């Protein structure tokens, strides 16, 4: 009871006038990447300026603040938002009983014009690593897809192939 009473007294006391000093960091600049903004067309060789925890500027010819930490992201892709790293979105489940192989490409049967991604886009998922169904030891090649549709209605393929899916041991399958 006494410990609980002391805790309540401490919580009721005004905060100490001496606050911890704020740590200031120099701005972070990501330069040279292909940037997929939340809205709008992709920006090739773009620049992102981050001050504190906020994006202050994004674009093609954004000036770099003095004393910035600069990351050279030439040849890389920058996407804001969440990435689902193991999705079956857009993957047809009709051939679940066929064997996979190392040269089987998950993109061969995908429907990137489907509206199936609307719900996850609204939740903040901006990219998915789509994987083939578990069909043997070597299941096939995976791909990274941007979930928001481009102007022509399809979704941009960000990396293909991205990985080879291999199942070692017993697999419960993905057809459920």
């Amino acid at each position: 009871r006494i410990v609980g009473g002391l805790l309540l007294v401490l919580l009721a006391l005004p905060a100490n006038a001496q606050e911890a000093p704020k740590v200031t960091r120099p701005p972070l600049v990501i330069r040279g990447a292909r940037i997929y903004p939340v809205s709008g067309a992709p920006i090739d060789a773009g620049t992102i300026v981050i001050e504190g925890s906020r994006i202050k500027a994004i674009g093609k010819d954004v000036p770099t603040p003095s004393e910035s930490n600069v990351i050279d992201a030439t040849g890389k892709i920058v996407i804001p938002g969440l990435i689902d790293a193991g999705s079956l979105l857009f993957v047809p489940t009709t051939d679940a009983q066929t064997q996979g192989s190392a040269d089987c490409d998950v993109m061969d049967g995908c429907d990137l014009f489907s509206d199936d991604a609307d719900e996850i886009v609204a939740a903040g998922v901006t990219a998915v690593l789509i994987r083939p169904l578990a069909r043997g030891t070597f299941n096939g090649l995976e791909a990274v897809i941007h979930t928001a549709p481009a102007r022509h209605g399809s979704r941009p393929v960000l990396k293909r192939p991205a990985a080879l899916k291999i199942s070692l041991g017993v697999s419960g399958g993905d057809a459920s």
Side-chain angles (χ1 to χ4, degrees):
R1 287 184 176 178
I2 294 175
V3 173
L6 287 175
L7 179 60
L8 287 175
V9 170
L10 290 175
L11 290 175
L13 292 175
N16 189 347
Q18 292 181 341
E19 293 184 13
K22 290 187 178 182
V23 177
T24 57
R25 295 180 299 229
L28 175 64
V29 175
I30 303 170
R31 181 185 300 150
R34 178 175 176 93
I35 303 167
Y36 285 85
V38 174
S39 60
I43 303 166
D44 287 320
T47 300
I48 303 171
V49 178
I50 303 169
E51 292 180 5
S53 61
R54 303 267 185 202
I55 296 175
K56 291 296 181 178
I58 182 170
K60 183 80 173 159
D61 297 313
V62 174
T64 301
S66 62
E67 299 183 22
S68 297
N69 290 326
V70 179
I71 297 174
D72 180 12
T74 303
K76 307 292 184 196
I77 295 173
V78 176
I79 304 170
L82 304 172
I83 298 174
D84 181 348
S87 179
L88 291 174
L89 189 65
F90 311 120
V91 177
T93 58
T94 54
D95 296 330
Q97 300 305 317
T98 60
Q99 280 295 107
S101 67
D103 62 348
C104 180
D105 191 336
V106 70
M107 293 298 298
D108 289 344
C110 288
D111 179 10
L112 299 182
F113 292 93
S114 169
D115 292 331
D116 291 345
D118 291 348
E119 186 176 339
I120 66 166
V121 169
V125 176
T126 57
V128 291
L129 173 71
I130 57 173
R131 57 190 176 91
L133 298 173
R135 304 179 297 185
T137 302
F138 293 96
N139 305 140
L141 300 170
E142 299 175 338
V144 180
I145 309 297
H146 196 319
T147 55
R151 289 186 194 133
H152 50 78
S154 182
R155 283 149 175 90
V157 177
L158 301 175
K159 181 134 178 84
R160 175 186 185 188
L164 172 62
K165 181 181 176 194
I166 299 174
S167 298
L168 300 175
V170 179
S171 173
D174 294 318
S176 58

